Amino acid sequence: MLALKNWDINLRSREKKTLRSFLLLYAFLTLLILAFVAFLYYGLERDLMLQHQRETLSNLTNEQIAKLKALHINFDKDQTYPRDERFNSAIYDSSLKQIFSTLKAKKVNLYEDIYLKNNYIYFIKELESYYLGARYIVIEVPEPSSWDKKVLRKLLGYGALIFTVLVVIGYFLLNLLLRPMKDTIALLDRFIKDTTHELNTPVNAILTNIEMIDEQSLDESLLKKIRRITIASKTISNLYDDLTYLVLSHQILSQDVEIDLKVLIEERLEYFSLLFESKKIELFTELAEGVVLTIDRKKMAKLIDNILSNAIKYNKIGGTIHIKLTQHEIEIKDSGRGIEKSKINQVFERYSRFDRSVGGFGIGLSIVASIAKEYNLHIKIDSILSQGTTVRISW
């Protein structure tokens, strides 16, 4: 029951990861849409503010025009351009050339009638009479204080409220959309757990009964058949172990003890001896004495088994496997098909398979990677296509 519970937790974490990814994308798109709406709203508020200012500016412009008219009439007596502390102004001739200006801005868009720029409002009016040769008059006043801050506060307040509501709605919608995937995962989960459970008893029964057979009493033909059955049973047993580790990996408590690696490697080589024979693989070993590592025995055996299994599986008939153990490293080198350099970094990903001509689910090396990570072991793979692969585990 503990196994089932933790497997479920593992699946739920994947669902949460998927849910988070969807929500991040949904939130990003929502923010993008809200930003666009906010931009439009800001433009509308700015236009509304300018419309409110239009009448006031029109009155100020009329006052300035009256002063220009007076100056035009009395130009011989007084040539001083009329100024007003409430606003700045400028006049332009029909060729848009500036005649006189007290504006802060150096350039003015005379094709607009009113606009906002650099915290100033500009109001442009075409004169009916060309006083002092002017065709256009421009009035410049500071924009109303804090109008944009009020708009910004309003946008942030309503924006945050709408964003929160949309995210909550999105969360429930995504849960609804993910329900079929959850059902499928639950079905697959039950299938894997039931299959793993059902495999245990028959595989153990087959291996136990094979071990009880007296091979000396068998003729050569029957002995070959029994050995084939043994190889097939061990292959299924390895697959069962991998599936079990996959299911239980998150709650198996490690029982670290001092392991003599030479003894362990020799034990695993004996376990795979029939597989070596079946492919006529020649084995070369150079195992140093007294190499001890504190680690969970089952996990270290599983790590070695998966690398050996691949070295056999992807090797050629009559190939070789070299195993070298030193004080700080295990090296397993085969003469198999090799791996493309571009794919070496992907071999530890679960369900990665680059050669489908042989069996397997692509979970062996992902298990190796998880065990190595747990014990801070370093794994390096060098491979050349058609020449073989070398795996080094160092500590």
Side-chain angles (χ1 to χ4, degrees), residues 82-225:
R83 292 172 172 77
D84 195 306
E85 61 182 10
R86 295 171 297 175
F87 57 86
N88 299 318
S89 66
I91 51 176
Y92 294 81
D93 63 16
S94 56
S95 61
L96 309 182
K97 184 178 179 182
Q98 186 185 86
I99 298 173
F100 192 84
S101 173
T102 61
L103 302 179
K104 300 285 185 185
K106 292 183 179 178
K107 292 184 179 179
V108 178
N109 184 3
L110 297 175
Y111 296 105
E112 297 276 353
D113 60 343
I114 186 169
Y115 66 91
L116 177 68
K117 183 179 180 182
N118 296 333
N119 302 324
Y120 283 95
I121 298 174
Y122 296 88
F123 182 76
I124 298 94
K125 186 172 183 178
E126 187 172 353
L127 299 174
E128 294 177 357
S129 301
Y130 290 7
Y131 301 122
L132 302 175
R135 183 177 180 182
Y136 300 99
I137 181 169
V138 179
I139 298 295
E140 178 191 74
V141 295
E143 66 175 332
S145 61
S146 304
W147 78 272
D148 53 344
K149 293 180 180 175
K150 291 177 184 175
V151 173
L152 187 62
R153 281 199 294 272
K154 194 183 291 184
L155 284 174
L156 288 176
Y158 285 114
L161 180 64
I162 294 170
F163 178 73
T164 304
V165 171
L166 289 176
V167 167
V168 172
I169 292 173
Y171 177 79
F172 285 106
L173 285 176
L174 286 172
N175 267 314
L176 197 63
L177 292 173
L178 286 175
R179 185 171 296 168
M181 189 185 80
K182 289 179 180 178
D183 293 341
T184 305
I185 290 175
L187 185 64
L188 182 62
D189 174 33
R190 284 198 299 274
F191 173 75
I192 291 175
K193 283 182 286 193
D194 292 345
T195 304
T196 306
H197 177 72
E198 294 300 328
L199 273 175
N200 185 26
T201 305
V203 169
N204 281 334
I206 292 169
L207 289 173
T208 304
N209 282 282
I210 288 173
E211 288 174 0
M212 294 171 65
I213 294 174
D214 182 9
E215 295 185 353
Q216 303 297 328
S217 63
L218 302 176
D219 59 50
E220 189 174 345
S221 173
L222 189 56
L223 183 60
K224 283 184 180 177
K225 292 176 182 174

Side-chain angles (χ1 to χ4, degrees), residues 328-339:
H328 301 288
E329 185 180 84
I330 300 173
E331 179 184 284
I332 300 176
K333 180 180 180 182
D334 65 60
S335 59
R337 303 169 189 177
I339 309 167

